[in-house]
Amino acid sequence: MKRIAVTGAVGNIAYSLIFRLAKGELFGANEPIALHLLETKEVAPGLKAIEMELEDCAFPLLKEVISGDNPEKVFEGTTHLFLVGAMPRGPGMERKELLSANRKIFFEQGKALDKRADENAIVLVVGNPCNTNCLIALHQAERLNRRNCHAMTRLDQNRASALLAKKAGCAVTEVEKALIWGNHSTTQVPDYEHATIRKKPVKDVIHDENWLNTTFPSQVQKRGAEIIAIRGKSSAASAASAAIDAMSSIVHPTKEGEWYSSGVYSAGNPYGIDEDLVYSFPCRTLKDGTVQIVSGLSLSPELVEKMKVSEKELKEEREAAYVGSSV
Ligand code: NAD
Ligand code: LMR
């Protein structure tokens, strides 16, 4: 049985995520599921309503629901964790401004992961700033495999694929290998140079170089803020959908010649990025479940320069987060 944890279970994203997980979207129709739902003490009473709705859905695969406000209890034996619970940003804010409020959540939950999660647990950090929150958690969760800890840049990848498809007038499934490097922030590097549309290089299909080099990256980088400005709240359904896509890519072997973007621990990366960051790279999951950073991609000087800017921002976040310290 897969034991799937969702933190921030009464929040916006969780409401779009939990029911899809309970339906079996991640592991298919034959895998029973237990849900482990975590909230803060103040909001924990709201978990009752989520549990009632789950019951009313009569999901055949859902065998057990465990909920509460104690991370150690809720994480007991969990195999797949969606760490969503964290403060979201409001209009005009940058995600890194959330660090002072959210860092302690990931410090505490990293410790709880270390004590209670399954030793092969796979962790996807969604709460922002997700790269640095993931770094904080993995430094506490020493028992876990660091390569199993991910920060979600899949929403950015999905946004990039959708934009390229719209511009090319093709189906989104015809866009492959769109890629995000770096931080889930405005310094992220959406990369079309390694992507293909109908198996051809993007530049052979979209001839508008100005759009590719300026409009495209800027729209991906600012999409989250644009949604907040219109909706008053951050993206939720698309974030939940990306979280399922991200975890699905991580747990299932990657098809030959493909990759997915994920924020992973940078130790041993082949692109010269600082070795103690969570940085978004092209990744593949091998048949034995190992996650590898794809090596050997040739990078244009423009791309390298942008990747360095994102790396610098992540180093600054690492410093501001006092990674490894509880204060
Ligand atoms: P929300 O405010 O609707 O829900 C967050 C929930 O987390 C709240 O119910 C809150 O009580 C809970 N929470 C806070 N501290 C907690 C803790 N210590 N343990 C358990 N639960 C806790 O916010 P949301 O819209 O669901 O967004 C959640 C986070 O996800 C935000 O930080 C947001 O910025 C981020 N996000 C990331 C991406 C991404 O692509 N990586 C996309 C969208 C949103
Ligand atoms: C997003 O990209 O939509 C999320 O990270 C929410 C945000 O703060 O932009």
Side-chain angles (χ1 to χ4, degrees):
M1 182 151 77
K2 305 294 188 208
R3 296 197 161 273
I4 307 177
V6 179
T7 71
V10 174
N12 244 311
I13 295 174
Y15 199 65
S16 290
L17 175 63
I18 289 170
F19 298 86
R20 292 179 62 179
L21 294 170
K23 176 100 178 139
E25 276 196 38
L26 198 48
F27 296 106
N30 298 318
E31 183 67 52
I33 285 163
L35 281 175
H36 294 230
L37 307 178
L38 183 71
E39 254 301 344
T40 56
K41 208 179 231 107
E42 300 72 47
V43 181
L47 289 169
K48 179 74 190 154
I50 302 278
E51 288 187 54
M52 287 165 72
E53 284 205 67
L54 281 168
E55 210 174 297
D56 296 348
C57 290
F59 289 125
L61 295 172
L62 185 61
K63 302 301 177 197
E64 196 181 352
V65 181
I66 290 160
S67 68
D69 60 18
N70 180 330
E72 284 195 22
K73 284 191 186 149
V74 173
F75 288 174
E76 181 71 50
T78 45
T79 56
H80 300 81
L81 296 101
F82 293 84
L83 303 189
V84 179
M87 188 194 277
R89 64 176 169 155
M93 286 173 77
E94 288 297 329
R95 296 179 187 94
K96 62 185 160 199
E97 291 173 48
L98 297 168
L99 204 48
S100 55
N102 289 340
R103 60 176 293 283
K104 51 187 177 300
I105 297 174
F106 293 88
F107 187 88
E108 183 195 23
Q109 291 181 4
K111 284 202 170 313
L113 286 171
D114 197 45
K115 287 194 187 145
R116 302 289 179 205
D118 185 272
E119 65 174 341
N120 296 313
I122 295 173
V123 180
L124 178 70
V125 176
V126 175
N128 278 321
C130 60
N131 297 57
T132 300
N133 288 337
C134 182
L135 185 71
I136 293 169
L138 67 78
H139 271 278
Q140 297 311 312
E142 283 177 12
R143 200 171 45 88
L144 303 194
N145 178 347
R146 288 188 168 177
R147 230 353 108 63
N148 286 344
C149 299
H150 296 253
M152 187 169 93
T153 54
R154 182 53 168 267
L155 180 53
D156 308 295
Q157 182 194 309
N158 287 352
R159 287 167 173 163
S161 300
L163 266 177
L164 290 170
K166 199 167 163 186
K167 182 73 176 172
C170 70
V172 77
T173 46
E174 294 177 300
V175 178
E176 290 176 291
K177 297 198 278 193
L179 179 52
I180 305 296
W181 301 89
N183 198 5
H184 173 63
S185 75
T186 48
T187 69
Q188 68 176 271
V189 188
D191 172 0
Y192 69 83
E193 292 179 26
H194 297 95
T196 58
I197 297 178
R198 298 190 193 106
K199 310 285 181 200
K200 291 189 195 150
V202 169
K203 272 188 173 175
D204 290 358
V205 180
I206 298 174
H207 303 291
D208 183 347
E209 288 216 15
N210 183 48
W211 184 89
L212 281 173
N213 291 320
T214 54
T215 311
F216 164 68
S218 162
Q219 286 193 352
V220 179
Q221 288 159 343
K222 295 184 188 149
R223 186 70 161 190
E226 210 184 327
I227 287 171
I228 292 170
I230 297 167
R231 188 176 183 256
K233 291 195 274 192
S234 55
S235 60
S238 57
S241 194
I244 291 176
D245 290 344
M247 187 64 94
S248 179
S249 290
I250 296 163
V251 300
H252 298 115
T254 312
K255 283 191 198 140
E256 202 50 48
E258 294 186 3
W259 60 60
Y260 55 88
S261 310
S262 194
V264 290
Y265 194 55
S266 57
N269 79 87
Y271 297 102
I273 298 297
D274 182 287
E275 299 262 320
D276 183 31
L277 295 174
V278 170
Y279 193 95
S280 185
F281 289 107
C283 295
R284 290 180 51 76
T285 300
L286 308 184
K287 287 204 176 74
D288 67 359
T290 311
V291 173
Q292 267 189 354
I293 297 173
V294 174
S295 60
L297 297 190
S298 67
L299 306 176
S300 65
E302 296 76 28
L303 214 53
V304 171
E305 197 180 316
K306 290 177 189 163
M307 285 167 64
K308 287 276 167 207
V309 172
S310 209
E311 177 191 27
K312 179 169 176 284
E313 181 182 49
L314 281 168
K315 285 186 189 171
E316 287 162 4
E317 285 186 22
R318 179 178 64 194
E319 187 131 329
Y322 305 109
V323 170
S325 151
S326 62
V327 287

